[in-house]
Amino acid sequence: MEKGQIIFLNGVTSAGKTSIVEAIQERGDVFFYVVANDLFQEMVGEKYLLENYWKYLSEVIMMMYHTAKLFSDMGKHVLIDGILVEREEITPHYRRLLEILKDNPLDLVEVYCPLELCRKRNIARGDRYEGQSEEQQALMAPRIDYRLRVDTSVYSPEECADIIVKTCCFRK
């Protein structure tokens, strides 16, 4: 069985990852299952996150990567909506991701947006705090080997989805 494609959309909160995921899901030419940091974080429960946020988040994020691997191994395409951070609790995060998915077709896509625009989007959303994107930017793993970068201040989610699908999908 051919393994499914895994595309990891990496970027800070309000960069536009989820909007791109939704645009890809709307397309008729390819279907992806979605695994996302936010979805897996909700599995932990507020009590434990308040007790030791990074410990429990790091555990569930590694499970998320194994889940993506399982879907891919079953021939299903997967979108990962997340952020590769480096913290003591999950270091080396980026290397661990690559180890877990080493036998699967993986493309890392940087979803970029200027931090000032992310700040405005955070305020408009109401479920993020104003400086959250800047804080995440400071924690992002350095030297990630991206296949592609999309800029959501320049392109719409649909245009980003088109670029990603054309670059990362249906290639041998």
Side-chain angles (χ1 to χ4, degrees), residues 12 26 52 64 81 85 89 107:
V12 299
E26 289 297 316
N52 193 336
M64 180 178 82
D81 176 347
V85 299
E89 298 85 347
D107 285 317

Side-chain angles (χ1 to χ4, degrees), residues 28-39:
D29 57 346
V30 65
F31 176 78
F32 284 86
Y33 289 90
V34 178
V35 296
N37 279 16
D38 292 346
L39 297 173

Side-chain angles (χ1 to χ4, degrees), residues 7-9 17-18 21 33-43 57 60-61 63-65 67-68 78-83 128:
I7 298 175
F8 190 123
L9 301 178
K17 299 180 306 290
T18 303
V21 165
Y33 289 90
V34 178
V35 296
N37 279 16
D38 292 346
L39 297 173
F40 275 73
Q41 181 176 323
E42 289 176 16
M43 293 178 186
L57 182 65
V60 78
I61 293 303
M63 287 185 258
M64 180 178 82
Y65 298 153
T67 301
V78 180
L79 291 170
I80 299 176
D81 176 347
I83 178 171
R128 302 287 194 267

